Amino acid sequence: DGGITQSPKYLFRKEGQNVTLSCEQNLNHDAMYWYRQDPGQGLRLIYYSQIVNDFQKGDIAEGYSVSREKKESFPLTVTSAQKNPTAFYLCASSSFRLAENNEQFFGPGTRLTVL
Amino acid sequence: RKEVEQDPGPFNVPEGATVAFNCTYSNSASQSFFWYRQDCRKEPKLLMSVYSSGNEDGRFTAQLNRASQYISLLIRDSKLSDSATYLCVVNDLQGGSYIPTFGRGTSLIVHP
């Protein structure tokens, strides 16, 4: 079955530690995205990538970093510079850059708690 | 700054009721529009795309009003299983790519 996987589902880290969240897709999608969701809030875009070896900052990129070395993979690193990292992190992908109705498919998410 | 606004609710309705949600967007050049459903502590899942002419999928009807810059979702004959948060999504064209902006979501609670 094609889809998007994120691991781990729950992650606990101590304040001041960097942590990397995994996102893998086997849908052959060009575009991948990282979002953050806080309780009672909508999804906010952290980073996105439309092609391998290229990525762009979203609305809240400060304190985060990404890489896109393979089409299938788009890991997100939450650095110690992120002031309030505890949140639900969602990875998504979509098939075409310029298709008008390129809906996104989401992974199951990672709940990060920084203690 | 792009804005997508939704009434957070909650909308509390009995089974069988008809309920409608609206979503307004600020960018008149927005390209495409969607409704997603998100269950508690789960990822969003596409409910339906919204086409200019309006579209229907079973009990769900979506409409787009470009002149007034809003989209709507109508749910007829509500089921208990419709209880969820409904997210409005607007795609804007930036640098040759479509970038989505999500509303905060509207919470629906369907009770017996």
Side-chain angles (χ1 to χ4, degrees):
Chain A
D1 282 339
I4 303 177
T5 56
Q6 290 185 246
S7 61
K9 189 172 183 179
Y10 298 97
L11 188 57
F12 296 88
R13 278 295 181 268
K14 290 183 180 179
E15 194 171 341
Q17 289 182 333
N18 291 357
V19 60
T20 297
L21 311 184
S22 166
C23 177
E24 304 278 333
Q25 55 101 356
N26 62 3
L27 300 167
N28 199 33
H29 284 171
D30 290 315
M32 297 186 74
Y33 308 80
W34 273 105
Y35 295 91
R36 169 185 174 135
Q37 188 175 34
D38 294 284
Q41 302 294 315
L43 277 68
R44 292 185 290 168
L45 184 63
I46 304 172
Y47 268 99
Y48 63 98
S49 169
Q50 303 288 1
I51 196 169
V52 172
N53 292 325
D54 187 51
F55 47 83
Q56 306 295 328
K57 292 182 179 180
D59 297 322
I60 55 164
E62 185 176 350
Y64 300 97
S65 66
V66 293
S67 62
R68 186 90 185 273
E69 297 176 2
K70 298 186 299 181
K71 187 175 184 178
E72 302 80 15
S73 178
F74 191 41
L76 174 75
T77 297
V78 184
T79 75
S80 57
Q82 168 49 233
K83 291 184 173 58
N84 186 18
T86 295
F88 186 37
Y89 289 89
L90 287 157
C91 179
S93 70
S94 62
S95 60
F96 301 112
R97 280 178 286 170
L98 295 179
E100 190 163 339
N101 284 315
N102 57 338
E103 66 265 28
Q104 294 185 310
F105 296 83
F106 284 85
T110 293
R111 290 195 180 275
L112 172 65
T113 301
V114 175
L115 306 171
Chain B
R1 178 175 171 76
K2 305 182 296 296
E3 298 285 345
V4 176
E5 300 289 342
Q6 293 183 251
D7 182 344
F11 285 64
N12 202 322
V13 303
E15 273 186 290
T18 295
V19 62
F21 310 135
N22 280 343
C23 167
T24 60
Y25 60 95
S26 61
N27 183 3
S28 60
S30 292
Q31 300 290 315
S32 53
F33 309 87
F34 307 89
W35 283 103
Y36 281 74
R37 170 194 170 126
Q38 186 175 25
D39 293 295
C40 189
R41 301 179 71 82
K42 298 285 190 180
E43 75 273 24
K45 293 186 178 178
L46 181 69
L47 179 66
M48 55 198 305
S49 302
V50 186
Y51 301 114
S52 298
S53 56
N55 47 301
E56 188 174 304
D57 183 2
R59 298 182 293 109
F60 299 85
T61 300
Q63 293 195 314
L64 167 63
N65 185 319
R66 282 193 183 271
S68 299
Q69 294 180 210
Y70 75 85
I71 67 172
S72 63
L73 177 67
L74 181 77
I75 305 175
R76 290 181 299 277
D77 189 23
S78 298
K79 312 291 185 191
L80 296 177
S81 57
D82 292 334
S83 297
T85 297
Y86 291 83
L87 303 173
C88 166
V89 183
V90 174
N91 274 5
D92 294 296
L93 191 59
Q94 293 177 24
S97 302
Y98 282 97
I99 304 304
T101 300
F102 284 74
R104 293 189 173 191
T106 297
S107 175
L108 173 65
I109 300 170
V110 182
H111 58 82

